[in-house]
């Protein structure tokens, strides 16, 4: 079955063609990062306009790289939630128009389920159930993946997403947007114990997380140094910050593994590219006999292949849409299965 996967929930326009879910024939991405870098973050209005400019040509490129004709497509999968509403609408409306023209079904895909599915592409042997930690610029979630289309939240951040904190601290330190990768690189020579940053807990919800206090504490250190005219050891601060994020993510995720009784952990989302976080999970999983899956870096960020892959499983579950499909800015992953 040939599926076109479309992703436009934030600042990447992406189109991919897949066969039977896990075989990727093409995976084309146009990033808008340079446009938004000037403003230090994503400007929703610009994001929507750039998606409109890119999407039709990108779809043609995805077909040509896959070596197939439009008429061979069996369905169009598209991210319909969650994300920037104007950005999502571009992908959703393109998918609706293409599905109407080609007389094929539309498969609405929840963005987070797409990130989980990046692991199915990278690891053909991976099957639910497993625990997935999804860490990106917009969310931080520990998910019980009971089945391909049955996903329940075990723990989540109560405030900022981990990636959002990376980006904010990096921006204040003068690194280009999005700063996660630069902050990661900067931390290489730093001492993770140099700054005693907080590891917050949520009372009564041991698997939930909070990052806003950590972000504020790191920002206060930067501002205090500035005000006093003292030189700040930036690698030390970056390493200390990452260490605090790691100490928040790793024990909770491992506790979720204990709670479900599963022996498999998958990690998804842009922050999964972080070298320290990857190493910490590798070490902990080895110690506890848990099989760990981490997609390669190119599948960690937003892409169309993950949407096409998840789209295949949504199709098998019968989660299809017609021309009534609308985009939804905020939708919990539990309710990710599209219902007409
Ligand atoms: O999943 P993603 O591409 O987009 C969504 O948010 O959906 O994730 C982007 C996030 C950004 O916050 C970026 O700074 C972060 O992933 N990121 C990293 C690294 N590479 C990207 N954060 C920490 N360390 C990295 N190496």
């Amino acid at each position: 079955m040939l599926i076109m996967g479309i992703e436009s929930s934030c600042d990447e326009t992406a189109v991919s063609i897949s066969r039977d879910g896990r075989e990727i024939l093409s995976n084309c991405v146009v990033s808008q990062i340079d446009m938004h870098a000037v403003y230090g973050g994503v400007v929703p209005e610009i994001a929507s306009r750039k998606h409109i400019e890119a999407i039709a040509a990108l779809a043609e490129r995805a077909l040509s790289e896959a070596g197939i004709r439009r008429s061979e497509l069996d369905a169009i999968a598209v991210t319909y939630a969650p994300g920037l509403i104007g950005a999502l609408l571009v992908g959703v409306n393109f998918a609706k128009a293409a599905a109407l023209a080609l007389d094929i079904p539309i498969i609405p895909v929840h963005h987070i389920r797409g990130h989980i599915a990046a692991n199915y592409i990278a690891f053909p042997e991976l099957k639910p159930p497993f625990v997935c930690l999804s860490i990106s610029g917009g969310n931080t979630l520990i998910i019980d993946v009971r089945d391909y289309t049955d996903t329940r939240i075990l723990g989540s951040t109560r405030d900022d997403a981990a990636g959002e904190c990376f980006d904010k601290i990096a921006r204040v330190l003068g690194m280009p947007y999005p700063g996660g990768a630069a902050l990661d690189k900067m931390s290489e020579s730093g001492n993770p114990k140099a700054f005693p940053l907080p590891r917050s807990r949520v009372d009564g919800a041991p698997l939930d997380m909070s990052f806003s206090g950590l972000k504020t504490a790191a920002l206060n250190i930067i501002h205090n140094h500035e005000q006093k005219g003292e030189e700040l050891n930036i690698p030390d601060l970056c390493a200390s910050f990452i260490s605090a994020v790691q100490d928040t993510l790793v024990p909770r995720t491992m506790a979720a593994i204990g709670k479900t009784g599963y022996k498999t952990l998958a990690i998804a989302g842009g922050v999964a590219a972080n070298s320290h976080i990857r190493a910490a999970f590798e070490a902990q999983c080895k110690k506890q006999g848990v099989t760990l899956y981490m997609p390669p870096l190119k599948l960690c960020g937003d892409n169309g292949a993950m949407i096409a892959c998840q789209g295949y499983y949504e199709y098998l579950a019968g989660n299809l849409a017609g021309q009534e499909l609308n985009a939804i800015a905020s939708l919990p992953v539990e309710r990710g299965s599209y219902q007409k």
Side-chain angles (χ1 to χ4, degrees):
M1 176 176 191
L2 289 171
I3 298 179
M4 174 180 275
I6 298 174
E7 157 63 39
S8 71
S9 64
C10 189
D11 58 352
E12 259 106 26
T13 323
V15 184
S16 165
I17 310 291
S18 81
R19 181 180 281 122
D20 299 335
R22 299 193 185 212
E23 188 190 344
I24 302 309
L25 305 184
S26 65
N27 193 12
C28 304
V29 182
V30 172
S31 173
Q32 307 174 353
I33 281 175
D34 293 349
M35 310 282 163
H36 302 291
V38 184
Y39 305 97
V42 177
V43 183
E45 168 85 14
I46 296 177
S48 312
R49 287 174 190 276
K50 291 290 154 195
H51 286 309
I52 293 172
E53 283 172 21
I55 197 156
L58 202 64
E60 287 302 331
R61 202 173 101 204
L63 286 166
S64 132
E65 285 187 18
I68 67 152
R69 292 185 304 276
R70 292 176 202 181
S71 56
E72 290 177 85
L73 287 173
D74 295 300
I76 307 229
V78 61
T79 304
Y80 78 112
L84 300 171
I85 194 73
L88 285 167
L89 279 168
V90 177
V92 165
N93 283 308
F94 184 86
K96 282 164 71 168
L100 188 66
L102 299 170
D103 194 22
I104 53 177
I106 308 167
I107 316 169
V109 174
H110 190 284
H111 182 72
I112 302 301
R113 284 196 184 165
H115 273 303
I116 298 169
N119 282 281
Y120 302 141
I121 302 167
F123 308 105
E125 72 282 13
L126 176 63
K127 288 190 182 86
F130 57 87
V131 168
C132 180
L133 170 68
S134 173
I135 27 177
S136 71
N139 67 77
T140 307
L141 297 167
I142 303 171
I143 304 162
D144 177 356
V145 185
R146 297 184 177 193
D147 207 339
Y148 292 103
T149 55
D150 184 358
T151 43
R152 318 269 172 107
I153 296 174
L154 296 169
S156 67
T157 178
R158 293 288 184 102
D159 39 55
D160 297 342
E164 206 176 325
C165 299
F166 269 94
D167 295 342
K168 181 70 199 278
I169 293 165
R171 186 169 84 188
V172 173
L173 288 172
M175 297 170 191
Y177 172 84
L183 204 149
D184 188 7
K185 185 113 196 64
M186 184 61 81
S187 71
E188 273 169 16
S189 58
N191 171 9
K193 295 202 166 79
F195 293 98
L197 291 168
R199 276 83 168 142
S200 308
R201 276 171 226 271
V202 179
D203 258 356
L207 299 186
D208 279 354
M209 296 156 273
S210 164
F211 292 104
S212 72
L214 168 62
K215 180 183 78 181
T216 306
L219 293 175
N220 283 345
I221 291 172
I222 301 169
H223 293 143
N224 281 340
H225 275 73
E226 268 168 18
Q227 279 157 9
K228 291 182 188 157
E230 288 171 3
E231 200 186 324
L232 175 67
N233 186 321
I234 295 176
D236 277 358
L237 181 65
C238 294
S240 301
F241 167 72
I242 294 175
S243 165
V245 174
Q246 197 177 298
D247 287 351
T248 304
L249 295 174
V250 179
R252 283 167 183 75
T253 308
M254 298 319 285
I257 289 274
K259 191 175 169 184
T260 56
Y262 304 155
K263 280 283 170 207
T264 309
L265 170 65
I267 304 198
V271 183
N274 186 272
S275 56
H276 303 272
I277 295 172
R278 289 175 95 89
F281 274 110
E282 265 163 14
Q284 201 55 39
C285 286
K286 197 168 169 198
K287 208 156 127 194
Q288 292 183 220
V290 171
T291 308
L292 174 65
Y293 293 99
M294 288 188 288
L297 301 191
K298 73 172 179 1
L299 287 173
C300 285
D302 291 349
N303 64 84
M306 68 186 199
I307 302 304
C309 176
Q310 181 60 25
Y312 177 70
Y313 294 104
E314 299 289 346
Y315 179 88
L316 295 183
N319 300 332
L320 303 179
Q323 291 295 318
E324 81 294 342
L325 179 65
N326 203 353
I328 306 174
S330 173
L331 183 72
V333 72
E334 268 103 345
R335 295 200 277 119
S337 297
Y338 182 76
Q339 310 277 303
K340 263 194 194 176

